[in-house]
Amino acid sequence: GDPSGADGDPVPAGCMDGVEQQGGGHRDRARGDGGAALGRGVVAADRRDPFGGTVGDADGGDDLSASPAGWALTPIAAVRRAIPDWLELTKVRLTSMVVMTAAVGYLLGSGSAISWIGLAWALVGIGLVAGGAAALNQFMERDLDALMERTRDRPLPAGRTSPRAAMVGGIAIAAVGLATLAAMSGPLATILSAASMAIYLLVYTPMKRWSTWNTLVGAIPGALPPVLGWAAAAEEISREAWLPFGIMFLWQIPHFFSIAWICRRDYARAG
């Protein structure tokens, strides 16, 4: 449910004039009925969410009506089945781009004295914050995601992961990321990362429902990763650090407006 397209998902066939995607569920998983139940997907009776709640219980409750076959799943098997969904919840592709652009900022901010260990810790922290924010974004928009062809097979609207698990997991992942930055990269990178996450979740995400200016607001956290990397390397922000920020900010505007136009009918389903 990202009216700007800024969640990093590709533009699928479902964006084009309501064309239905074929072949049942993606990756042979249970999917919902296209959003009529606002996030209540098909209960996968042979699966349990190892991080809390019952798979298929889109409201995050503790319904234990799944079949005994689900209860017999070993913890290792349950985690193995949950890994792809958590990679999707943390938007691993988008997060990898955040990490790459943060690495560029770190290298630029380091000058001639590059700390490769410091770079590694900074990227771990920034990546965890980005992944946690992505999971929380999907938790906040799970009902809207259920209405759109582009997003209705995500773990939450499809019922493969419980909302409680996504919320707790997202908070935990982001908290570990901020703690890593605070311990290894300094207060400036930590504060900027927290501010970026706050803008993304508390301003941009709710703003998508009532203003097209959300794309400009969302472009701010989208352009901050190089600055975060720079801050982690230099523990200060010079004027030069805002050059990659400006480039990324300006690039996002036509990119995401074009995606929003292509997917306009799909977005209209979610209001």
Side-chain angles (χ1 to χ4, degrees):
D2 194 333
S4 73
D7 57 2
D9 288 342
V11 180
C15 284
M16 304 304 293
D17 297 326
V19 176
E20 289 294 324
Q21 295 178 351
Q22 303 298 318
H26 300 293
R27 296 178 299 281
D28 296 322
R29 294 174 180 162
R31 61 185 292 179
D33 61 358
L38 290 179
R40 285 193 176 275
V42 178
V43 174
D46 64 336
R47 295 181 59 192
R48 294 278 298 173
D49 184 342
F51 300 101
T54 303
V55 171
D57 182 6
D59 286 339
D62 293 319
D63 179 14
L64 300 180
S65 60
S67 71
W71 306 340
L73 232 121
T74 66
I76 293 177
V79 170
R80 185 180 303 160
R81 289 192 175 191
I83 286 175
D85 288 332
W86 277 88
L87 291 177
E88 188 171 358
L89 276 170
T90 55
K91 297 182 181 177
V92 66
R93 289 179 301 168
L94 178 63
T95 298
S96 66
M97 289 189 286
V98 170
V99 169
M100 287 189 290
T101 52
V104 172
Y106 189 99
L107 295 175
L108 292 174
S110 296
S112 59
I114 301 174
S115 170
W116 298 106
I117 295 178
L119 171 62
W121 279 117
L123 297 185
V124 168
I126 292 170
L128 288 172
V129 172
L136 291 172
N137 168 262
Q138 291 187 60
F139 164 76
M140 295 170 66
E141 296 191 314
R142 63 193 184 277
D143 57 338
L144 302 179
D145 283 347
L147 298 173
M148 295 192 293
E149 182 73 25
R150 189 177 69 93
T151 56
R152 67 185 185 185
D153 193 47
R154 285 178 174 175
L156 285 169
R160 297 191 303 271
T161 303
S162 71
R164 182 176 62 187
M167 180 186 69
V168 173
I171 292 173
I173 292 169
V176 171
L178 290 173
T180 300
L181 290 172
M184 307 304 299
S185 301
L188 182 58
T190 307
I191 293 171
L192 288 175
S193 296
S196 178
M197 184 172 67
I199 295 171
Y200 179 62
L201 293 176
L202 303 181
V203 182
Y204 164 69
T205 296
M207 191 176 182
K208 288 187 289 185
R209 291 300 305 273
W210 53 269
S211 175
T212 56
W213 290 97
N214 74 84
T215 301
L216 294 177
V217 174
I220 296 173
L224 274 175
V227 180
L228 303 180
W230 191 297
E235 298 189 19
E236 64 177 6
I237 302 176
S238 63
R239 288 180 298 177
E240 292 81 1
W242 295 107
L243 178 60
F245 172 88
I247 293 172
M248 290 192 63
F249 182 89
L250 294 175
W251 170 80
Q252 290 176 89
I253 306 306
H255 174 73
F256 293 134
F257 272 135
S258 64
I259 293 176
W261 176 255
I262 292 171
C263 295
R264 63 191 182 280
R265 289 180 176 83
D266 203 26
Y267 293 137
R269 296 188 183 102

